[in-house]
Amino acid sequence: MSVSPAPGRPAEDWWKSAVVYQVYVRSFADADGDGVGDLAGVRSRLPYLRDLGVDALWLTPFYRSPMVDGGYDVADYRDVDPVFGTLADFDHMITDAHALGLRIIVDIVPNHTSDAHPWFTAALASPPGSAERDRYLFRDGRGPGGDLPPNDWESIFGGPAWTRVPDGQWYLHLFDPAQPDLNWRHPEVRAEFEDVLRFWLDRGVDGFRIDVAHGMIKAEGLPDVGDGVPAGQRQVELLGRARLPYFDQDEVHDIYRAWRPILDSYPGGRMAVAEAWAETPQRLARYIGPDELHQAFNFDFLDATWSADSFRKVIDTALAEATIVGAPTTWVLSNHDKQRHVTRYGDGALGLRRARAAALMMLALPGSVYLYQGEELGLPEVLDLPDELRQDPAFRRTGESRDGCRVPLPWSGDVPPYGFGPAGAAPAWLPAPPTWRARSVTAQTGVPDSTLELYRAALRLRRDHPALPGDPAGAGDPAGAGGPAGAGGPAGAGGPAGAGGVRWRESEPGVLAFSRAAPAGAPELTCVVNFGDEPVTVRDYGTPILTSELLAGDADGTTLPTDTAGWFVRPVTG
Ligand code: NOJ
C-alpha cells in the first residue's frame, strides 16, 4: 500500500517537511528476546510511532554483518542479519509501516564493506595486482621492505588508515580495519551498488541515508595529507571542514548523478539524504539538487552551543543554504554517533529543560526534522557504562565511545530492560540505568508535563497548524513562488519573512523569537526561546499554545523562565 501525501503537497515532495525518526535497530525493541533489537520489534512498535506523529523512519543497518561497527560493516547488502530477523520480517514491517502512513528510509553503506564480505575474502585470497584486489584499495608500502604504510592517512577511529596483509601489501580503511574501503573507480563496484539500490527500492523503501557520502572517491594517486603530523597522532574528524584527499572529491558527484535517475524511475518520491560534510556551504550544496541527492544532514544545528547567538547563526546559515540548494534544510539534535543533547546541554534537570526548549525551536522551523530514538523520552547519555560492555570499535582505539547514546529504549515496567524485550528475555546488550524506569513510554504516557507528551503535542501541532508547513514558500526557490512568505535571504529582526517563511522578531539579548507566516487569514505562529539568565515576559505574539515547561497564566503576558520555549499564536491583522 502506498502512503498518501501530506495535505496540499505532491507525494514526491513528502521528504521536504517530513519528521523522520531514526531507529537504531539493535536498541529499539527486541521481539525475539535475545537481548538485541530486531525488525519484528520495529514492526511491533509502529503504532507507537504513528501515534507519536512522525512521518517516516530511518533504520540503521540491519544487513548481514559481523557487527564490528554496529552493522556499518556489511557482509551482504541484500540480506538481513539473523540477529535482526529475515527478509520476510523486513517485508512485513514495511507493509505495516506503509499501511500506517509511515515511510521507510534505509541506510546504505557504500564507502566500505565488512572484511567478511565475499569480495574482501576473495581479495585476500588473491595475489597483489589481481582483479579481486582492485575492488578495494590495496597498495605496496613505503620504506625499506615496504614496511611503512603507503601514505600518511589516519583512520577516523584512530591509528593508521592502513593494515598490512601477510603478503606485504596494505589495504585502506578510513574506519576500523574490519571496514576495508572500496575502490569506487572500479565499474563493478558502481554496478553493484546501483543494483543494491534497486533491490531495496523494489522492496518498497522510500529512501536511503547514505553513510559517509562524501568519502567514496579518493584523490588520484592517494597523496599524503602532508600536514607533517606524525602517523598515529592526527585525529581526523568524519564531519570536519578540513580539505582532505579522501573526502569531497569532485568525482563523487558522478556517483550520485548515476543514482538519481534510479531513484526517479520509481514512483512516489524515493529520496536520499547524505551524511556528508564539505569545506564550505557551496561545496556541500553540490550534493543536493534535481540531478543528485535530495538532502544532507545539517550537523551545525547539532553542534550549536546553548546560546541565542549560536542558534541564530546556525539557523540563518541553514536557511541561506536552503536557498542555494533549492531544497528545505534538515534539523538534527542527536543521532547514534553523538552524545545525546540532554547531556550536551548540561545533563540532569538543566539539560532536560534545555532539550525540551530545543525541541520546540526545531519543530517550529521549516524543513525536515530528524529525531533520534529516545529523544522524545528525554533520555540522557549513559555515561557510566562499564568499559567491558562497550562495543564501539572506536573505544579501543581512541578511548571515545558512542555506546552511551545506544542504550536500549525503556518502554514499560519497573525492572530493566524496561520492556525492551518480552518477559524472560536475555539481558539487553547494554544495560539501562535504574533512573530510566521513570522515563519509559508507559511512565510518561498521559503525564501532562512529560517529555513524551510534549513531543506528541508539538508533532500534532506541526502537522495541523496552518503556520507550520515545513516548506511554505518553496524554501530555496529563489523566485519564492507559491507562498506568502517568499524566499529571500535570512531576514533581520522585524524584516519581511525570509527563507522558508521564517521572520526574526525583535527580542532581548539572550532570546530568540521567530514567526512563521500563515496562509491568508490564518493565525501567525511565533516561537520564542529564552536562552538568557532572566525570565522574559512575552506580550506581543498572542496566546501560548504550547510551552516547553508548564507555566501559570498571567494577565499581562506570559513569563517564559530561563531555558524555556513557547509557541504563541495571534490572528494576522491588517
Ligand atoms: C557513520 C555512521 O553514522 C557511524 O556510525 C559509522 O561508524 C561510520 N559512518 C562508518 O560507517
Side-chain angles (χ1 to χ4, degrees):
M1 182 188 288
S2 66
V3 181
S4 55
R9 171 178 294 294
E12 293 70 33
D13 282 357
W14 65 272
W15 50 273
K16 289 189 172 177
S17 58
V19 177
V20 183
Y21 183 99
Q22 181 190 350
V23 174
Y24 192 69
V25 180
R26 58 176 34 240
S27 301
F28 185 67
D30 170 21
D32 65 5
D34 64 356
V36 180
D38 44 45
L39 293 175
V42 177
R43 183 184 182 199
S44 73
R45 299 293 184 179
L46 292 171
Y48 165 78
L49 296 170
R50 189 261 328 261
D51 294 345
L52 179 62
V54 302
D55 303 297
L57 317 184
W58 150 32
L59 305 183
T60 51
F62 47 78
Y63 315 111
R64 272 193 190 266
S65 165
M67 305 292 166
V68 170
D69 184 19
Y72 282 95
D73 47 320
V74 181
D76 182 346
Y77 290 85
R78 296 180 186 79
D79 202 2
V80 172
D81 194 273
V83 83
F84 296 131
T86 61
L87 275 175
D89 290 335
F90 178 85
D91 292 341
H92 292 313
M93 186 276 302
I94 196 167
T95 303
D96 284 10
H98 285 168
L100 291 172
L102 295 166
R103 288 185 164 86
I104 298 292
I105 296 171
V106 297
D107 225 306
I108 182 151
V109 188
N111 179 68
H112 45 266
T113 68
S114 159
D115 61 355
H117 190 286
W119 276 1
F120 194 72
T121 49
L124 287 186
S126 306
S130 58
E132 286 81 2
R133 287 214 172 168
D134 197 28
R135 295 190 192 110
Y136 292 89
L137 293 160
F138 280 85
R139 293 290 183 277
D140 293 331
R142 294 203 279 208
D147 289 346
L148 296 173
N151 66 25
D152 67 354
W153 297 4
E154 303 250 307
S155 155
I156 284 124
F157 290 164
W162 296 92
T163 288
R164 201 168 195 191
V165 300
D167 60 38
Q169 274 209 313
W170 300 73
Y171 69 89
L172 179 72
H173 52 87
L174 290 183
F175 294 90
D176 193 81
Q179 294 166 295
D181 278 51
L182 284 164
N183 171 16
W184 269 88
R185 297 183 193 278
H186 196 302
E188 244 183 279
V189 171
R190 294 188 183 224
E192 167 69 358
F193 276 87
E194 290 174 13
D195 195 62
V196 168
L197 291 181
R198 287 196 187 90
F199 178 88
W200 292 103
L201 288 164
D202 288 341
R203 294 195 106 82
V205 305
D206 301 283
F208 297 93
R209 177 264 189 192
I210 304 168
D211 190 62
V212 200
H214 57 318
M216 280 118 87
I217 296 285
K218 280 77 183 174
E220 288 282 10
L222 311 184
D224 279 342
V225 173
D227 58 6
V229 177
Q233 289 176 30
R234 183 189 309 121
Q235 188 54 57
V236 182
E237 272 184 82
L238 171 58
L239 300 171
R241 285 206 190 272
R243 187 101 189 97
L244 293 163
Y246 42 86
F247 284 154
D248 191 34
Q249 300 297 307
D250 288 342
E251 297 95 311
V252 82
H253 296 283
D254 298 340
I255 298 169
Y256 302 128
R257 281 193 281 268
W259 286 14
R260 184 57 180 261
I262 298 173
L263 295 171
D264 287 348
S265 70
Y266 286 79
R270 315 293 174 106
M271 55 77 77
V273 54
E275 183 208 33
W277 206 279
E279 230 181 337
T280 60
Q282 285 72 20
R283 284 197 71 88
L284 189 63
R286 300 171 70 204
Y287 289 78
I288 302 168
D291 63 342
E292 293 201 30
L293 306 175
H294 299 73
Q295 295 184 311
F297 290 120
N298 168 12
F299 292 114
D300 286 338
F301 194 69
L302 184 153
D303 286 335
T305 52
W306 188 253
S307 77
D309 288 350
S310 170
F311 275 102
R312 167 82 195 242
K313 195 163 151 234
V314 165
I315 293 168
D316 272 342
T317 306
L319 295 175
E321 281 170 15
T323 306
I324 302 175
V325 302
T329 190
T330 63
W331 308 104
V332 192
L333 288 170
S334 278
N335 64 31
H336 66 292
D337 291 330
K338 295 285 183 177
Q339 192 176 68
R340 283 187 179 274
H341 57 278
V342 166
T343 302
R344 292 203 317 271
Y345 294 157
D347 216 25
L350 174 71
L352 180 59
R353 191 180 172 88
R354 291 175 170 175
R356 291 164 58 101
L360 288 199
M361 172 171 60
M362 173 169 73
L363 290 169
L365 287 165
S368 63
V369 168
Y370 284 78
L371 304 179
Y372 178 48
Q373 67 177 37
E375 76 172 75
E376 80 280 18
L377 304 175
L379 297 184
E381 186 84 358
V382 179
L383 297 169
D384 58 357
L385 286 170
D387 286 355
E388 62 277 14
L389 294 184
R390 293 185 186 267
Q391 294 196 13
D392 183 355
F395 183 59
R396 315 272 164 236
R397 294 168 75 99
T398 64
E400 303 266 323
S401 148
R402 299 166 292 176
D403 296 292
C405 63
R406 299 175 176 179
V407 173
L409 286 196
W411 291 93
S412 59
D414 295 329
V415 286
Y418 304 115
F420 171 63
W429 70 280
L430 285 175
T435 46
W436 283 20
R437 177 170 164 258
R439 307 238 175 182
S440 74
V441 171
T442 50
Q444 296 196 40
T445 296
V447 177
D449 63 347
S450 71
T451 303
L452 178 56
E453 293 301 347
L454 177 71
Y455 268 78
R456 284 178 174 154
L459 289 167
R460 202 176 312 121
L461 281 167
R462 184 180 156 97
R463 212 167 240 213
D464 296 344
H465 198 283
L468 287 180
D471 178 30
D477 166 4
V502 167
R503 177 152 69 111
W504 291 109
R505 311 304 296 258
E506 208 83 58
S507 51
E508 294 86 335
V511 176
L512 278 191
F514 62 87
S515 296
R516 298 290 310 278
E524 175 183 67
L525 185 143
T526 302
C527 175
V528 183
V529 192
N530 182 7
F531 293 88
D533 296 333
E534 302 292 333
V536 291
T537 302
V538 181
R539 293 193 183 84
D540 301 338
Y541 305 125
T543 321
I545 55 167
L546 188 62
T547 51
S548 61
E549 303 295 320
L550 292 184
L551 304 178
D554 175 347
D556 187 35
T558 302
T559 301
L560 273 188
T562 181
D563 298 325
T564 305
W567 288 357
F568 297 80
V569 287
R570 187 180 60 180
V572 181
T573 48

